[in-house]
Amino acid sequence: MHPFRQAVEARDAAAIEALLADDVVFTSPVAFKPYPGKPITAAILRAVMRVFVDFRYIREIGDATSSDHALLFEATVDGRKITGCDFIHVDENGLIDDLMVMVRPLSGATALAEAMGAQFDRIQREAAEAHSDPAIHAD
């Protein structure tokens, strides 16, 4: 089982964030432009955990030696059932440097867009706070 899947299923935001590379790029199923960087990606993923109900992974594609993985999931957003996939690429350090999410059907994607839109002020605030926290940048 992929460590990202384990962290998500445990709803462990700190473990999820620890798996992200500093230069991770998150591609949303409902936004035109990708979101670069660990602070914004971690904040988005925390918001997703607040928005998704009955989230569960149903299939994992990729082996332990691969840099690319696909994690298929089901969830409910505002009463709409969605099916989606997390496409993950890990760098040479085993950290996620690319995360793209796709969802279907359109009614579910629309519900997700609306729910995440309602979270966006909080997402931006959390990302800004994490970005300005010197402890985040200690290596």
Side-chain angles (χ1 to χ4, degrees), residues 6-101:
Q6 290 176 312
V8 170
E9 289 179 340
R11 299 185 60 82
D12 186 340
I16 293 168
E17 187 168 352
L19 292 168
L20 301 175
D22 289 338
D23 62 349
V24 64
V25 175
F26 177 79
T27 304
S28 165
V30 296
F32 179 71
K33 293 188 332 186
Y35 296 95
K38 186 174 185 172
I40 190 71
T41 300
I44 289 169
L45 294 174
R46 286 191 298 273
V48 168
M49 288 195 298
R50 293 189 295 269
V51 167
F52 279 170
V53 176
D54 299 327
F55 179 91
R56 67 186 183 99
Y57 284 110
I58 57 173
R59 189 176 315 143
E60 184 171 334
I61 302 168
D63 63 57
T65 62
S66 177
S67 295
D68 293 293
H69 303 271
L71 305 174
L72 284 75
F73 63 84
E74 293 177 340
T76 303
V77 177
D78 197 28
R80 302 275 184 184
K81 299 267 186 210
I82 64 169
T83 303
C85 189
D86 294 334
F87 294 97
I88 297 169
H89 180 270
V90 296
D91 65 15
E92 63 279 354
N93 298 314
L95 297 175
I96 298 168
D97 62 1
D98 187 60
L99 173 57
M100 179 174 58
V101 180

